[in-house]
Amino acid sequence: MATTFASVGAADGYLTGKCLVAMPGMSDPRFVRAVIYICAHTEEGAMGLVVNRAIPDFSFVDLLEQLSIPATPRCEQIQVQFGGPVESQRGFVLHSADYIHEGTLVVDDAVALTATLEVLRDIAVGTGPSRTLMALGYAGWSAGQLDDELRRNVWLTVESDPNVVFGLDLDAKYDRALRSLGVDPSLLSSEGGHA
């Protein structure tokens, strides 16, 4: 049975279904210029996937071979991305909500998350979701940690855009996410200030 977080939205002070964009002063090199899709955010903490950082020299075909799942030509188009530093050997598929199976976390009407071998098999044969992002690892925050980082201006929050989340041009995602707020990336400063 699918799990849903759709009732936990930004109106409740939570960011499920939104994107975080790293500010220029990001001190953690793993998240410099990162765009993170927030899959779940509750009072217990938050979990998201970096959507704009490929894992070099490791393909979806390589992953399928390790799991003894036959690859098809369509698999060559899929990039494997760095989802975050937590559980970096664990795979997650962020995908369009047209694919819902047991174990799927429905984030909202458009996006879901599945971390099963079944979704990988279905993607390989063309019966999986219409849009996918394959990630290893995730970004996680304990209770109150993300809220604290937001207060310290570590992240900007933006509405998620399927073209940013699922787009293939990883290098363009950061600037595109900022521009969705009307922010010119070249004008952002790494220095924070208070009035």
Side-chain angles (χ1 to χ4, degrees), residues 20-24 26-37 49-58 78-85 88 92 133-139 155 164-175:
L20 300 178
V21 181
M23 289 292 285
M26 172 59 72
S27 60
D28 187 332
R30 299 170 298 182
F31 297 114
V32 170
R33 292 183 55 88
V35 178
I36 300 176
Y37 181 83
L49 296 175
V50 177
V51 299
N52 65 329
R53 187 142 315 131
I55 295 177
D57 304 319
F58 188 70
I78 300 171
Q79 298 173 319
V80 177
Q81 298 190 37
F82 167 78
S88 61
F92 298 89
L133 182 144
M134 176 66 220
L136 292 179
Y138 68 92
W155 304 101
V164 170
V165 174
F166 297 113
L168 298 178
D169 187 353
L170 301 184
D171 294 333
K173 289 184 178 188
Y174 183 81
D175 289 348

Side-chain angles (χ1 to χ4, degrees), residues 72-97:
T72 60
R74 74 183 56 214
C75 299
E76 295 171 12
Q77 311 295 322
I78 300 171
Q79 298 173 319
V80 177
Q81 298 190 37
F82 167 78
V86 182
E87 294 189 48
S88 61
Q89 299 301 309
R90 185 170 176 200
F92 298 89
V93 179
L94 190 66
H95 57 84
S96 50

Side-chain angles (χ1 to χ4, degrees), residues 147-176:
D147 306 298
D148 180 58
E149 290 180 11
L150 290 166
R151 279 191 293 278
R152 292 186 291 114
N153 298 317
V154 173
W155 304 101
L156 288 173
T157 60
V158 300
E159 292 295 323
S160 66
D161 173 348
N163 294 318
V164 170
V165 174
F166 297 113
L168 298 178
D169 187 353
L170 301 184
D171 294 333
K173 289 184 178 188
Y174 183 81
D175 289 348
R176 180 179 280 170

Side-chain angles (χ1 to χ4, degrees), residues 43 84 117 176:
E43 62 186 21
L117 289 177
R176 180 179 280 170

